[in-house]
Amino acid sequence: MKVLVAGTGFAGEGHAEAFRATGAEIVGMVGRTPQVVNDVTKKLSIPYAGTDWQEALDVCNPDIVAIATPGGAHYAPIRQAIAHGCHVFCEKPMTESGETAAELFELARKKGVKTAFAASFRYTASVLHAKKLIEDGAIGAPLEVECISHFNLEKDIPFGWSHQKSAGGGRLNNNFTHTLSIVTSLIGDTIQSIIGEVRDDLGKAPIVDGVHNFMTRRNFIPKDLDDPNLKWGESDVEWSYTVQAQIQSPLAPKPVSVLFKHGGLVPRFNDDHIVIYGDKGAIYIKGHYGSRELYLYGDKRTWVETPTPQDIQDSIPKVPGETEQCWHYLAREFVKDIRGESFAPYPTFKDGAQYQQLIDIIRQNGNWTDVSALN
């Protein structure tokens, strides 16, 4: 099974290694800059390096493409890959808008190709453990879920795709997608209603040349932010959001209330966490994606740290890095599905298109009721 990768940064390298671990052959990689793509393909021993995506599809003739570029650059290469008959593994966000994401989902459905949407932190050990506990009735019927995170990101990270709506930036695209995927994997994916508010706490960021890898962008923060020659780019995306949703669960008679609260630029005081409350108990998981210690509140009416069962630990790919482990897990299940083998459920373009449409709705900030007349 042959895989062609779009993107030469952290995600591109990560996707390549994830598919290589499944036994697939990484036949090529495409990037914007010839020198960069040549360097990365040499480092990863990938035979084809190019800057023209359509040419790469024709030359490499892959079975699968892995789209590992920023979200604003996804639409055209995914459309071309679907037309070529490739299965598609796509990094989140799926595209820059709900309209284009829905179009790609429909094109893939009609073409009959399989798709995977890499909102993949649902595959951390603690989340998988929580899923098993909920399914086994440890907390009874789910009532409410709370997802709280504060990232305290550096405000002077150089201007780039993460600051631009057209490029797939914003905290909804790059945090909410993961958290929503986690919640739906735990309680069910029938999202009935949603309401939300977004806020841009940043405003602007310095423009700096040379930033290539998303993971090293902090290294390029200018030493003198008061330099009069420094240029600035304007942010047009949210850096904080509050979202409430109602999700129908097969495990509950009534819709489950879900709160998603994220501050990208503000400091945390206590642990980021995900909590699932039921009518007989609750599960608390530390970490913004629920990937740390898990605590169960049950019959003893106290919180008890509960270790991950060995079978779940064994299911996690043995590679360094939480993000990389989740990519490996998703790629493994995706390839199993393509090969006709038994596989665990995974998010697809159906989910990705729905998430982008929800993000469009939330970004409208159209949920306020003017009560000033009551004052």
Side-chain angles (χ1 to χ4, degrees), residues 35-186:
Q35 186 59 55
V36 172
V37 71
N38 286 336
D39 290 344
V40 175
T41 52
K42 182 178 180 180
K43 180 176 73 171
L44 299 181
S45 299
I46 297 173
Y48 178 91
T51 58
D52 186 309
W53 179 248
Q54 185 60 59
E55 179 182 281
L57 287 171
D58 295 336
V59 172
C60 297
N61 194 28
D63 303 295
I64 300 170
V65 298
I67 306 296
T69 56
H74 287 178
Y75 174 77
I78 291 176
R79 187 180 176 93
Q80 290 170 291
I82 291 171
H84 200 83
C86 303
H87 306 294
V88 185
F89 182 101
C90 176
E91 190 55 46
K92 53 79 197 152
M94 187 169 157
T95 64
E96 86 297 342
S97 73
E99 180 181 1
T100 52
E103 178 189 341
L104 293 177
F105 164 57
E106 186 62 20
L107 287 174
R109 187 188 66 80
K110 289 181 178 179
K111 191 70 173 181
V113 297
K114 295 186 183 296
T115 59
F117 173 59
S120 50
F121 275 101
R122 60 164 58 191
Y123 296 123
T124 63
S126 293
V127 171
L128 293 173
H129 185 194
K131 178 178 176 64
K132 182 68 166 55
L133 287 170
I134 294 168
E135 290 173 345
D136 290 346
I139 64 170
L143 300 173
E144 180 180 346
V145 183
E146 174 183 287
C147 306
I148 306 295
S149 60
H150 302 91
F151 274 20
N152 202 24
L153 296 169
E154 295 93 335
K155 293 185 178 182
D156 301 312
I157 289 173
F159 185 78
W161 66 264
S162 63
H163 299 82
Q164 303 169 76
K165 187 181 298 183
S166 62
R171 302 312 300 156
L172 286 169
N173 275 334
N174 298 287
N175 178 269
F176 178 67
T177 44
H178 279 305
T179 312
L180 180 57
S181 181
I182 289 168
V183 171
T184 57
S185 75
L186 293 174

Side-chain angles (χ1 to χ4, degrees), residues 187-210:
I187 64 171
D189 59 5
T190 305
I191 303 169
Q192 293 190 329
S193 56
I194 201 157
I195 186 172
E197 176 212 13
V198 298
R199 191 176 68 250
D200 182 358
D201 301 332
L202 185 70
K204 64 179 183 178
I207 297 174
V208 178
D209 292 330

Side-chain angles (χ1 to χ4, degrees), residues 158-332:
F159 185 78
W161 66 264
S162 63
H163 299 82
Q164 303 169 76
K165 187 181 298 183
S166 62
R171 302 312 300 156
L172 286 169
N173 275 334
N174 298 287
N175 178 269
F176 178 67
T177 44
H178 279 305
T179 312
L180 180 57
S181 181
I182 289 168
V183 171
T184 57
S185 75
L186 293 174
I187 64 171
D189 59 5
T190 305
I191 303 169
Q192 293 190 329
S193 56
I194 201 157
I195 186 172
E197 176 212 13
V198 298
R199 191 176 68 250
D200 182 358
D201 301 332
L202 185 70
K204 64 179 183 178
I207 297 174
V208 178
D209 292 330
V211 182
H212 166 64
N213 191 318
F214 180 78
M215 298 301 290
T216 62
R217 67 199 190 284
R218 292 173 178 84
N219 300 337
F220 291 83
I221 295 175
K223 290 182 171 58
D224 181 8
L225 293 167
D226 295 321
D227 182 350
N229 295 317
L230 193 62
K231 296 181 179 179
W232 296 82
E234 297 295 324
S235 166
D236 67 356
V237 293
E238 72 287 335
W239 291 87
S240 294
Y241 64 78
T242 303
V243 176
Q244 290 179 275
Q246 292 179 319
I247 299 179
Q248 184 62 59
S249 171
L251 305 172
K254 296 180 180 180
V256 180
S257 301
V258 186
L259 169 66
F260 302 90
K261 180 70 179 118
H262 175 70
L265 303 175
V266 296
R268 66 178 61 87
F269 180 73
N270 289 319
D271 289 307
D272 292 350
H273 60 269
I274 295 176
V275 191
I276 310 95
Y277 301 97
D279 60 7
K280 294 182 180 179
I283 295 168
Y284 179 103
I285 321 175
K286 288 185 178 182
H288 51 270
Y289 295 138
S291 58
R292 292 171 52 201
E293 299 88 350
L294 182 149
Y295 298 82
L296 178 63
Y297 186 96
D299 295 337
K300 297 181 180 180
R301 300 184 65 80
T302 187
W303 292 100
V304 178
E305 184 173 352
T306 306
T308 304
Q310 189 61 48
D311 63 326
I312 293 178
Q313 293 183 43
D314 293 341
S315 73
I316 304 299
K318 303 302 185 285
V319 295
E322 191 175 271
T323 302
E324 292 88 339
Q325 289 172 358
C326 292
W327 280 331
H328 277 244
Y329 197 115
L330 178 58
R332 181 182 70 197

